[in-house]
Structure formats: C-alpha cells, structure tokens
Amino acid sequence: MPVNKRRLSTCVNIGNVPVGGQAPIVVQSMTNTSTEDVAGTVKQIEELVNAGSEIVRITVNTKEAAACVAKIVEQLEKKSINVPLVGDFHYNGHLLLTEYPECASALAKYRINPGNVGKGEKHDINFKTMIEAAIKWQKPVRIGVNWGSLDQELLAEMMDENAKSKEPADSDTVLNQAVVESALRSAKLAEEYGLAHNKIVLSAKVSQVNQLVDIYRELAKSCDYALHLGLTEAGMSSKGIVSSTAALSLLLTEGIGDTIRASLTPEPGGARTQEVTVCQQVLQALDLRSFSATVTACPGCGRTTSTVFQELAKQIEEHLQERRKLWQERYPGFEELKVAVMGCIVNGPGESKHADIGISLPGVGEEPKAPVFINGQYFNTLAGPTLAQDFINLVDNYVEERFGVKSAALV
C-alpha cells in the first residue's frame, strides 16, 4: 500500500532540526543514563547521534540533574556534536526550570507531561510556570500525554459524562478520548498563556498498538500541531521491535507523524542505539527516508544448503555499515543503493536484476558459478575462493562510479 499524502502540520524548529511541515520525519531517542553522570550521558548521546538520532531526550528529575545539563551541552560542543537536547520533566519541572536558568537556556526543547504537573489549582499554576519558562527562553514544548500518568481528574470527569449519556461508550474508548482531550486542552492552555502555535509538539502515547493508532488518528483530525509518534513502552527484543514497527508503520502510511521514537527495552548490557536503527529501518522500508544502503538476501531453503550466501550477505552488510559515514560524505545519495545476495537460481537472477547490483550464488545441484547483475543487466560471473572479495570490490567500484560523479560535481 503506498504511503498516503503527508498530513499538513505546523513546522516547529527544535534547535537546528525542523519538525513537521514539509521537513523529513525526524528520528529521536532518549538516554537511560543518570543525567548527573555527565561523562556517561555525553558518551551515550554521542553513541545515539553516531547511530543517527537527530534529537536526544535526557531526564531532568533532580536539582543535581538540572545543574548538569549545561555541562553536558558544553562537553558535546567540545566534541562538535550539535544535537538538540530535550529535557524530560515530571512533577518538579516548574521548580527546576525556574531555579536553574542555565538548564532552561541550554535545552533545545522541554517535554511536559500534563498529568504530572500537579492537581487542581496547582496543575494550572505549575503548567503556566513551565510555559512561561519556554516563552522566556524561546523554547518549543512537547506536550506529552501518557495513559499511565493521565490526568485523573480529567479522566474521572469524562467517565462521569459518559456514564450519564444515553449510549455510553466502553471504558477503553473513553480512555482514548481522555488522552486526546488532555493533549488538546493542554496545548490550548499553553497558547492562552502566550506560547506560539509553532512552538508546540503533541504526543499521546499508550502501549497497545491498536489504541495508539486510534488515538493518533483522532488527534491528527483534531489539530495541525506537529505529532511525535511512539508507543510509551514497546517492550524488549522482537516483541518491542514488532510492536513499534506495526504502530509506526500503520500511522506513517496514513501520512500521520512528524517525528518518531521506538521505546525499546534494551537487553541487559545491550546497546541503546537499537531504537534508532529500528526507526531508520521503518522509515526506509516505507520509502519515506534513506539512511543506508539496503541488502536483500533470500531466507534459504532446501535448495540452498551452502552457507556461502548467508556469509556473503553478512559481509556485505558489515562492509556497507563500516563505510556508511565516509560514503555519506563522499558519495551523496549512496543511501539509496540496493544490493542483492541470493542463494539459488529460483529467485536469484530476478532479484539481482531488480537491485542496483546483485549476485546469484549457486544452490544445490547448480554449477559452481555466481552471475553478477548491475543495473538490471548481466555483468559477469564470479567463482572460486576469492568470490566474496571480488563481489565486494564490484560493489565499491559501483558506488564510486555511480555516486562519485555527484560528489565531484559538488566540489
């Protein structure tokens, strides 16, 4: 199914990164280090940025954390890392943004959860204090509603109204409506306090895929604010990846979403950067953005008892990743490269012809030859112990010849 025309939203500048409008959909992530650990947080931010995160959020939950934000930005600047940092505030954000002006100034955006800024009169006072800080320091705000920390007074109000109606909806429907209403009411209130319309990003996160899709569809119909997509807790390993991919893909194919995150639970000791890779691969699979060359490889079957095609596919993947950063600078457009590594004659030649450059390795009972196709045409046949390196050399030559012309023209 082709991706629908992108929903027209208001563009918000997060530091040097535009979000919404006609800007590319932005990938973001969040650190899981203690913000008080300046060195550890800087290290993880650098890892996330190197992986491709274009915005990074950090926790600002204590006075000590708030005092470290400017130090973190300073260390990043020394490393020439110019990534917008978002401060994640809950419960005491009104105090921290007031008492630590260096923190308020250093951050590129504030994330405010309207369910965690106080109750009753305190809610409005605390929320207003944070919005006034954003206005003073000319910072955008993400109003981020989570179902796990939804404003209980609003939910109770809407549940009561629903119970009195002639045809009451089920509780899940009312919960979804309350999540949307909380985001919209908070955005309206922020504007009443003086925050510009183009300084607001909305998110309304839950952990269930179908509920998330329903909520964002309603949110997209109800406003033109830029929208940040993602499950609030996707989970670990394949479950988290599949859930995030399903939720993001359903919405992105409908043209909904301006910036995304995959909130994955890392394996113990696992890389935080996995959530960045998942987001990039979702956008690339939907042809919404290109981040790196892609390798198509067959899954293998009884015809492909040899592991040669698997080993070569892995070698090619690793080779392209190792050179990605250099080739992105040297060969503009390299990210669109498509390589095929196939295991037998059934689909091998056809898939190879559809790729920019592809190789069809011999399966069971086939001649020990591997035809190579470039731009849909037969190029030559490889064989022997140097086959893998010979194909890698052909890929390198193809990249230089196809994308090097553009590079040279820019010099």
Side-chain angles (χ1 to χ4, degrees):
M1 181 176 69
V3 176
N4 290 342
K5 185 176 179 181
R6 180 119 167 250
R7 163 185 172 267
L8 183 61
S9 60
T10 301
C11 185
V12 182
N13 290 314
I14 315 297
N16 61 344
V17 176
V19 171
Q22 297 303 310
I25 296 166
V26 174
V27 173
Q28 62 177 279
S29 57
M30 183 176 183
T31 59
N32 60 0
T33 56
S34 168
T35 306
E36 297 167 24
D37 175 8
V38 174
T41 301
V42 168
K43 180 176 182 293
Q44 190 171 88
I45 292 170
E46 184 174 14
E47 291 170 352
L48 291 167
V49 171
N50 286 339
S53 185
E54 295 156 308
I55 297 174
V56 178
R57 183 157 47 112
I58 61 175
T59 298
V60 188
N61 58 334
T62 65
K63 293 182 177 182
E64 292 77 13
C68 288
V69 170
K71 297 176 185 177
I72 290 169
V73 172
E74 181 182 354
Q75 291 298 313
L76 291 172
E77 289 175 348
K78 287 181 179 179
K79 291 174 172 284
S80 298
I81 299 173
N82 187 26
V83 65
L85 284 191
V86 179
D88 194 56
F89 295 98
H90 297 272
Y91 308 111
N92 59 355
H94 57 292
L95 298 175
L96 299 179
L97 287 171
T98 302
E99 296 174 10
Y100 292 86
E102 304 89 353
C103 169
S105 174
L107 292 168
K109 184 178 75 171
Y110 311 150
R111 188 279 180 135
I112 303 174
N113 183 339
N116 288 341
V117 298
K119 296 181 179 180
E121 186 179 348
K122 285 186 177 180
H123 173 282
D124 291 353
I125 293 173
N126 294 345
F127 184 74
K128 183 178 182 181
T129 300
M130 299 179 77
I131 296 302
E132 286 176 341
I135 295 169
K136 176 180 179 180
W137 297 105
Q138 299 180 352
K139 306 295 182 181
V141 167
R142 171 158 74 93
I143 295 173
V145 180
N146 282 0
W147 70 342
S149 51
L150 183 61
D151 183 336
Q152 293 303 300
E153 293 178 0
L154 172 62
L155 181 59
E157 171 193 325
M158 294 185 67
M159 285 291 188
D160 288 343
E161 290 177 359
N162 179 65
K164 295 174 184 176
S165 66
K166 292 182 180 179
E167 297 182 4
D170 60 78
S171 59
D172 283 345
T173 299
V174 179
L175 176 61
N176 291 356
Q177 293 170 347
V179 170
V180 172
E181 185 65 19
S182 176
L184 295 175
R185 283 192 190 184
S186 298
K188 181 181 179 182
L189 191 59
E191 290 198 56
E192 289 176 0
Y193 291 150
L195 189 64
H197 190 80
N198 67 349
K199 292 286 188 181
I200 298 173
V201 178
L202 294 187
S203 68
K205 294 186 174 184
V206 297
S207 295
Q208 301 299 320
V209 172
N210 289 338
Q211 279 187 277
L212 187 87
V213 172
D214 289 342
I215 285 169
Y216 272 94
R217 283 172 176 165
E218 185 60 34
L219 201 56
K221 288 191 301 183
S222 304
C223 69
D224 69 346
Y225 294 111
L227 299 180
H228 168 65
L229 305 186
L231 296 167
T232 186
E233 294 101 9
M236 184 180 286
S237 191
S238 59
K239 185 271 178 189
I241 294 172
V242 171
S243 294
S244 290
T245 301
L248 293 174
S249 297
L250 283 167
L251 290 166
L252 291 169
T253 55
E254 294 180 16
I256 298 171
D258 302 292
T259 175
I260 63 173
R261 180 188 174 208
S263 299
L264 304 179
T265 304
E267 299 284 350
R272 187 67 165 179
T273 54
Q274 184 184 38
E275 63 179 48
V276 178
T277 303
V278 169
C279 286
Q280 290 179 329
Q281 290 179 350
V282 168
L283 292 175
Q284 187 143 346
L286 296 173
D287 285 332
L288 291 171
R289 289 188 66 181
S290 294
F291 297 92
S292 181
T294 55
V295 179
T296 299
C298 68
C301 66
R303 297 178 62 93
T304 57
T305 54
S306 169
T307 60
V308 174
F309 80 96
Q310 297 167 327
E311 293 160 359
L312 180 55
K314 182 180 180 183
Q315 283 180 272
I316 290 292
E317 286 271 16
E318 292 174 348
H319 182 73
L320 294 174
Q321 285 303 315
E322 286 171 3
R323 282 159 175 71
R324 184 176 72 166
K325 194 167 185 180
L326 173 64
W327 282 1
Q328 282 175 333
E329 296 173 0
R330 185 174 293 178
Y331 305 123
F334 140 77
E335 302 89 343
E336 298 174 6
L337 175 70
K338 292 179 173 58
V339 182
V341 180
M342 304 303 293
C344 80
I345 199 171
V346 174
N347 290 323
E351 286 285 358
S352 297
K353 290 177 182 178
H354 284 296
D356 295 314
I357 178 169
I359 186 169
S360 180
L361 293 159
V364 177
E366 297 176 25
E367 290 187 54
K369 298 178 181 179
V372 174
F373 299 83
I374 295 180
N375 295 330
Q377 302 296 320
Y378 169 78
F379 179 74
N380 69 0
T381 298
L382 302 179
T386 62
L387 183 150
Q389 188 58 53
D390 291 343
F391 184 65
I392 289 173
N393 292 341
L394 287 175
V395 172
D396 288 353
N397 291 339
Y398 180 87
V399 170
E400 183 174 1
E401 290 176 9
R402 175 178 171 184
F403 301 103
V405 174
K406 296 180 182 178
S407 181
L410 294 174
V411 176

